Amino acid sequence: MSSTKPDASPTLIAGLVPKWALAAFALDVFFVLLFTYVGSRSHDSGPVLVVLRIAWPFLVGLVAAWAVVVWRRWSGARVWPAGVVVWLGTYLIGMVLRGLTGEGLAPTFLVVSILFLGLTLLGWRGYVSAKLRYRSRRLAD
């Protein structure tokens, strides 16, 4: 009779992802929605449904990028490689879907989008990494 070893991986929610990954994913969703909200406000767009209409291609890109992060078992809170994959995946898939659905791809929108998404999706990860490094150095002293 053979015995099976319990899985040594961290506690998983619904057997899929660690709790910290859900928090990181939620923060990324927040920043994508903030990006589309700020963009829609700058063009005097209408209600919340307009924000969701603008956001859906980027949210699809975000989910696809996060699927890669989870599949590869990368820490979603790290800038490299997870943050870069989430940033570029969100941007590239979002823009492709916008283009395929006939939405605008003005050069200024392309530039502002990649910069805003990079600043936010990489920015919070850089902040967390710096804070953890600082805290670990203080504990080591």
Side-chain angles (χ1 to χ4, degrees), residues 13 17-32 62 66 69-70 74-79 82-83 86 90 120-122 124-125 128:
I13 295 176
V17 294
K19 291 178 185 179
W20 60 261
L22 290 178
F25 177 75
L27 195 53
D28 286 341
V29 168
F30 168 78
F31 282 121
V32 169
L62 180 69
W66 261 96
V69 169
V70 170
W74 291 329
S75 170
R78 298 202 49 192
V79 172
V86 167
T90 300
T120 56
L121 298 178
L122 296 176
W124 77 259
R125 287 171 169 88
V128 168

Side-chain angles (χ1 to χ4, degrees), residues 86-97:
V86 167
W87 168 44
L88 294 178
T90 300
Y91 174 78
L92 293 172
I93 293 170
M95 290 305 175
V96 167
L97 290 174

Side-chain angles (χ1 to χ4, degrees), residues 51-139:
V51 173
L52 294 177
R53 183 181 58 80
I54 297 166
W56 79 263
F58 299 100
L59 292 172
V60 169
L62 180 69
V63 168
W66 261 96
V68 171
V69 169
V70 170
W71 172 65
R72 295 295 308 217
R73 296 178 185 239
W74 291 329
S75 170
R78 298 202 49 192
V79 172
W80 176 258
V84 173
V85 167
V86 167
W87 168 44
L88 294 178
T90 300
Y91 174 78
L92 293 172
I93 293 170
M95 290 305 175
V96 167
L97 290 174
R98 277 183 65 87
L100 291 174
T101 58
E103 295 293 326
L105 294 175
T108 53
F109 178 68
L110 295 172
V111 171
V112 168
S113 299
I114 199 163
L115 294 176
F116 187 96
L117 290 171
L119 178 67
T120 56
L121 298 178
L122 296 176
W124 77 259
R125 287 171 169 88
Y127 173 79
V128 168
S129 295
K131 187 81 169 167
L132 290 173
R133 274 194 306 275
Y134 173 76
R135 188 175 292 168
S136 68
R137 285 187 185 134
R138 292 224 15 172
L139 291 173

